[in-house]
Amino acid sequence: ATCCPDHAQTLLRFESRLKNHVNDGKGILSFTIFGGPGSGKSFVAEELAKAVDPGGNLFQSRIFNISQFGEPSRLLDSLQSIQAIGLQGKIPFVMWDEFDTTYQGAQAGWLPYFLMPMQDAKFFDGSYDIALGKCIFVFIGGTFRGEAEFREWAMNSKEGKHLKGIDFHSRLDSSLTVPSVDIEVSDSEAWVDNSPAKLVRALMLRNFLKKQDKLEAINPDLLAYLIHVPLQHGVRSLQRIITASELNSAPVFETYHLPPTDVLQIHVRGLNPNCVDPVTDFVEKLTGYDVPRNAAPLGLKWKK
């Protein structure tokens, strides 16, 4: 589910492109997914695979975190395991997580190692060229926050050109950027801003709070805080704040259920470590926020 129309259209386009490749394509279909920390990049890739192959009959998914490889032999091992999937009659759906990680002191230093597989659907094992067959490669960014930033680096930076960034980019079928939950205005203006990030956060909050069986309502100030406060690590921080809250069997999510300040500091940008009541301190600065103090909790009607 998404509340961003542009992102929805992009996902539908990707689904169609994947189906076409499964039915009529050859070789490797490659695309990138970018987004901030905790934005759900891997989740989007997995959901795209499910949309095309809901029964799990076509794809066999693999995820490799490039930042853990250390040396090219690890990549070779991964490509050999991908080839084995193809020999078993499945289409490898491969997620290369943090593909743009640093290698040998160079940002996105692994790019040249992917050029041959992406172009020719094969790799060199030290003695022979090994065919990979039909595959899907999903390159999930960990350094660049968006496709535009990566493209600029690949096309125009000295380092990007040296690492064959242009060649890598030219082999991509397409790219998507997961919508951010960051509100790009000052804290005081966040309430009156019409950023779609608020809807994204609200959707995420709904998903997280669904898991609290006894919860029936939420304090309005707390809800305003969770939707507008600047987060250190995107959706991941929002989730950690919820899971670290002392809800237990509480029917109403109140401000005092939040984790202590030292925990909030990890996930909230600019939090004063000496603040006694971070929620009140934040919402009082919101321009246009006129919810009365001690207002009644907001019922989570969708839970009934």
Side-chain angles (χ1 to χ4, degrees):
T2 178
C3 46
C4 179
D6 291 340
H7 186 50
Q9 289 298 322
T10 300
L11 293 175
L12 291 171
R13 177 171 55 82
F14 267 67
E15 179 185 355
S16 176
R17 185 69 187 89
L18 287 171
K19 287 179 178 177
N20 290 338
H21 185 68
V22 167
N23 295 329
D24 303 313
K26 296 180 180 180
I28 295 179
L29 175 72
S30 301
F31 62 93
T32 54
I33 298 181
F34 294 100
S39 59
K41 300 181 289 291
S42 297
F43 175 75
V44 167
E46 292 164 358
E47 290 298 300
L48 283 169
K50 289 179 184 178
V52 177
D53 181 26
N57 300 314
L58 299 172
F59 297 146
Q60 186 166 335
S61 296
R62 286 288 186 274
I63 184 165
F64 302 102
N65 191 312
I66 303 300
S67 67
Q68 304 300 313
F69 275 13
E71 57 185 29
S73 63
R74 293 288 303 279
L75 179 59
L76 178 61
D77 292 341
S78 300
L79 291 170
Q80 289 172 335
S81 70
I82 292 167
Q83 187 225 11
I85 294 173
L87 293 175
Q88 295 167 10
K90 294 271 191 173
I91 299 174
F93 189 96
V94 187
M95 292 167 276
W96 301 104
D97 197 12
E98 300 191 52
F99 80 95
D100 51 357
T101 194
T102 299
Y103 178 60
Q104 294 185 336
Q107 185 176 22
W110 287 93
L111 293 193
Y113 295 92
F114 289 106
L115 297 181
M116 181 179 179
M118 293 170 71
Q119 179 68 30
D120 303 319
K122 60 185 179 182
F123 65 97
F124 184 66
D125 71 350
S127 301
Y128 304 99
D129 287 347
I130 308 297
L132 288 168
K134 184 183 294 188
C135 301
I136 294 167
F137 280 6
V138 185
F139 292 96
I140 300 174
T143 301
F144 299 98
R145 295 181 67 90
E147 197 278 333
E149 183 180 333
F150 173 69
R151 184 177 65 248
E152 175 64 25
W153 174 86
M155 299 293 191
N156 299 318
S157 74
K158 181 178 179 181
E159 187 176 47
K161 292 178 180 179
H162 174 71
L163 292 170
K164 306 290 185 180
I166 296 176
D167 293 334
F168 179 89
H169 195 271
S170 69
R171 286 164 167 78
L172 294 171
D173 183 79
S174 49
S175 178
L176 69 84
T177 299
V178 180
S180 172
V181 295
D182 294 326
I183 301 172
E184 304 296 338
V185 296
S186 65
D187 294 352
S188 62
E189 295 298 316
W191 177 260
V192 295
D193 185 64
N194 62 355
S195 170
K198 295 184 185 182
L199 286 173
V200 178
R201 277 206 212 185
L203 185 63
M204 293 299 100
L205 278 172
R206 177 182 175 124
N207 289 337
F208 299 149
L209 296 180
K210 272 183 179 179
K211 300 175 183 179
Q212 303 296 327
D213 295 335
K214 304 296 183 181
L215 198 64
E216 298 177 357
I218 186 170
N219 180 293
D221 285 355
L222 176 58
L223 181 59
Y225 177 80
L226 293 172
I227 289 180
H228 297 88
V229 72
L231 298 169
Q232 292 277 19
H233 310 296
V235 173
R236 188 174 296 139
S237 285
L238 191 63
Q239 183 177 19
R240 292 292 184 270
I241 291 172
I242 301 298
T243 56
S245 296
E246 297 290 339
L247 289 175
N248 296 321
S249 299
V252 179
F253 193 178
E254 296 283 4
T255 58
Y256 54 76
H257 290 129
L258 287 175
T261 304
D262 61 325
V263 176
L264 285 177
Q265 271 187 291
I266 300 173
H267 300 291
V268 175
R269 294 201 311 269
L271 180 64
N272 181 355
N274 300 316
C275 182
V276 177
D277 185 355
V279 172
T280 300
D281 183 67
F282 180 81
V283 298
E284 285 183 344
K285 298 174 183 177
L286 291 174
T287 301
Y289 183 75
D290 57 358
V291 176
R293 295 283 79 95
N294 302 317
L298 297 171
L300 305 179
K301 297 180 180 180
W302 42 265
K303 293 197 67 176
K304 295 182 180 179

